[in-house]
Amino acid sequence: MAEHGNVKINAAFNGEFIAGDKTAVKTIATKNQKIYPTSDLNQWYTKHVVDTILTSLEEFQERDSGWALSRILDFTINVNKFNPLRAGCHIQLPRKIMLKRAVVNVQSTDNACFAWAVVAALHPAKKHPERTIEYPHYSTVLNLCGIEFPLTLPQISKFEKLNTISVNVFTTEDSKIIPLRLADDKMEKHVNLLYVPGNNEAHFVCIKNLSRLVSSQLSNEKCKKYICN
C-alpha cells in the first residue's frame, strides 16, 4: 500500500482436517477485496478475512459431519495493484444520491469530468448547474500542465501542487459514502468530490453539501452535521 496506494487482496487458508482415522486438506480462498489508504485495516481484516474463513469452516464442518480442524498448514495473502480512479464522461447518478441533492453532476462530453467538478465547486452556477456553459472553461481557471484525462488517482497530488487546491475524494461502497482519498493538508481552496463507479466507466461529481450527503448514514437525527475535512 505504501508503494501503490490502493490494492486488492485475497487470502488462502489451507487446513488439515481429521475424522477418525481419515485425514483431508481443505482450502478456503476469499474473494479479492479492495483496500484504500483510508480503510480501517482491522475492520477490513475482520470482515473480509476472519469472518469469511470462519463461516466457511463452520459450513464445511456442519456439511461433512465429523471433520475437525487438526492444524493450519499455511495462510497466504495475495496482493494486486488496483487503480480505481480513471474517470471520464457523463453517467447517470444512483437515485439515492440524486435525491439528496448534495452533489453537482456537470454533464460534459469530454473526459475531463474531474476538472469540471472542481470548477463547479470553486465557481458555483446560479442556475442549471449541470450545464458546462454555466461555468468558465476549466482550461482558463485551472493549471493542468502535465495532467492527462481521464484522470487517475496519483495525478491528484500533482494537480493540488499546480493549483494550490486541496482535494478530498469520496466513493460509494455497500450503499455508503466512504473516503477514497484525503488531502494531506486542507488549503484555502478546498473541494470535495464524489467518484461514482459504473459498469464500463466512472465519473467525478462535485459535492456541494457533504453533511447532507452522508448525514443519514451517521445518525437518524435530522440536523446539520459538521464533517471534518
Side-chain angles (χ1 to χ4, degrees):
M1 290 186 70
E3 182 178 354
H4 302 297
N6 306 289
V7 295
K8 273 189 173 183
I9 289 181
N10 80 297
F13 167 92
N14 285 303
E16 181 183 83
F17 289 78
I18 58 174
D21 57 353
K22 295 186 296 183
T23 302
V25 174
K26 168 72 173 175
T27 299
I28 298 173
T30 67
K31 294 181 180 179
N32 260 321
Q33 298 289 349
K34 296 165 285 189
I35 298 184
Y36 303 115
T38 55
S39 298
D40 184 318
L41 294 184
N42 288 328
Q43 186 180 49
W44 182 97
Y45 184 76
T46 299
K47 177 180 178 181
H48 296 297
V49 178
V50 177
D51 290 350
T52 299
I53 290 176
L54 288 179
T55 299
S56 295
L57 283 174
E58 290 174 2
E59 290 175 351
F60 170 69
Q61 290 172 316
E62 290 176 2
R63 182 176 64 250
D64 299 288
S65 181
W67 290 100
L69 179 63
S70 173
R71 62 192 178 106
I72 298 173
L73 300 177
D74 58 66
F75 182 70
T76 305
I77 298 291
N78 301 304
V79 183
N80 304 284
K81 288 174 61 176
F82 172 54
N83 181 11
L85 285 182
R86 183 175 291 278
C89 309
H90 166 70
I91 64 174
Q92 186 71 24
L93 296 181
R95 176 176 169 80
K96 185 177 180 181
I97 292 177
M98 292 177 62
L99 290 175
K100 291 180 182 292
R101 297 185 179 182
V103 302
V104 175
N105 184 16
V106 181
Q107 300 179 12
S108 61
T109 56
D110 53 26
N111 285 325
C113 58
F114 172 85
W116 284 115
V118 171
V119 171
L122 299 178
H123 305 275
K126 294 181 179 179
K127 60 179 181 179
H128 304 301
E130 74 283 356
R131 299 178 182 177
T132 57
I133 196 173
E134 299 297 328
Y135 304 99
H137 194 273
Y138 57 81
S139 62
T140 65
V141 293
L142 299 176
N143 184 348
L144 300 173
C145 181
I147 301 294
E148 297 180 0
F149 295 110
L151 184 128
T152 55
L153 182 64
Q155 292 188 87
I156 295 182
S157 295
K158 183 177 182 179
F159 172 85
E160 289 179 317
K161 293 176 182 177
L162 287 171
N163 294 275
T164 319
I165 300 172
S166 53
V167 181
N168 285 347
V169 180
F170 299 81
T171 190
T172 57
E173 185 175 275
D174 298 330
S175 299
K176 290 187 176 182
I177 305 297
I178 63 168
L180 177 62
R181 188 259 183 203
L182 298 177
D184 293 330
D185 297 294
K186 184 182 179 183
M187 302 180 191
E188 185 175 347
K189 291 182 179 180
H190 175 84
V191 298
N192 291 319
L193 304 182
L194 180 66
Y195 170 79
V196 184
N199 293 328
N200 299 312
E201 57 189 18
H203 188 59
F204 279 110
V205 299
C206 163
I207 299 175
K208 65 178 181 180
N209 192 321
L210 183 59
S211 173
R212 190 185 302 163
L213 184 64
V214 303
S215 181
S216 61
Q217 72 186 46
L218 299 178
S219 76
N220 293 323
E221 295 180 3
K222 297 182 183 292
C223 58
K224 182 176 181 179
K225 298 176 177 63
Y226 294 89
I227 312 298
C228 178
N229 280 309

